[in-house]
Amino acid sequence: LLPWLQGGRPDNWRDAVFNQCNGVEIYYTQRFVRTDRYKFVYNPTDVDELYDLANDPYEMINLADRPEMLPIKEEMYARIWREAADVNDIIFNPYITVATADFGPASGLGK
């Protein structure tokens, strides 16, 4: 707590929050990552979601399919895959959940 009490933050403080819903392994599975600026939701069997929280705090405009957002989307996918690998997430399985990603695990785990 010392860094907080001194007006700073710990050196190893995360810059993103992750969450997952495993649904029924194939359907209704989701992974999401949220940074200060963006929230990205990976929906393997549905439409992915990307929100610019600075300009759209209520998440009303999905930017996931906009070409200019492709670098952000790839970065967010990479974050999801790195986190999934770090926590031994069950998303690494033989089901379609991984195969439907626009950017697969290689984007976050070293190409």
Side-chain angles (χ1 to χ4, degrees):
L1 293 177
L2 189 58
W4 292 112
L5 297 173
Q6 295 173 335
R9 72 164 102 175
D11 292 335
N12 60 348
W13 192 253
R14 289 178 170 241
D15 66 348
V17 174
F18 300 87
N19 197 3
Q20 68 185 54
C21 173
N22 290 320
V24 291
E25 291 188 34
I26 298 175
Y27 298 108
Y28 316 115
T29 295
Q30 287 184 323
R31 297 294 182 273
F32 92 67
V33 56
R34 184 192 188 283
T35 63
D36 286 342
R37 177 78 188 263
Y38 296 103
K39 178 179 176 183
F40 176 69
V41 183
Y42 169 44
N43 294 302
T45 59
D46 203 350
V47 175
D48 290 337
E49 302 167 59
L50 176 63
Y51 302 102
D52 181 342
L53 300 173
N55 296 310
D56 180 21
Y58 299 109
E59 302 174 16
M60 302 298 289
I61 303 167
N62 185 358
L63 305 172
D65 289 335
R66 296 200 180 168
E68 67 273 17
M69 299 305 292
L70 195 60
I72 300 298
K73 188 174 174 181
E74 183 174 14
E75 174 192 338
M76 299 302 260
Y77 262 114
R79 286 174 173 262
I80 285 174
W81 295 127
R82 280 192 304 269
E83 178 69 9
D86 289 349
V87 299
N88 297 316
D89 189 339
I90 66 167
I91 198 164
F92 298 113
N93 59 49
Y95 299 116
I96 198 167
T97 53
V98 173
T100 61
D102 290 346
F103 298 96
S107 68
L109 303 177
K111 297 179 180 184

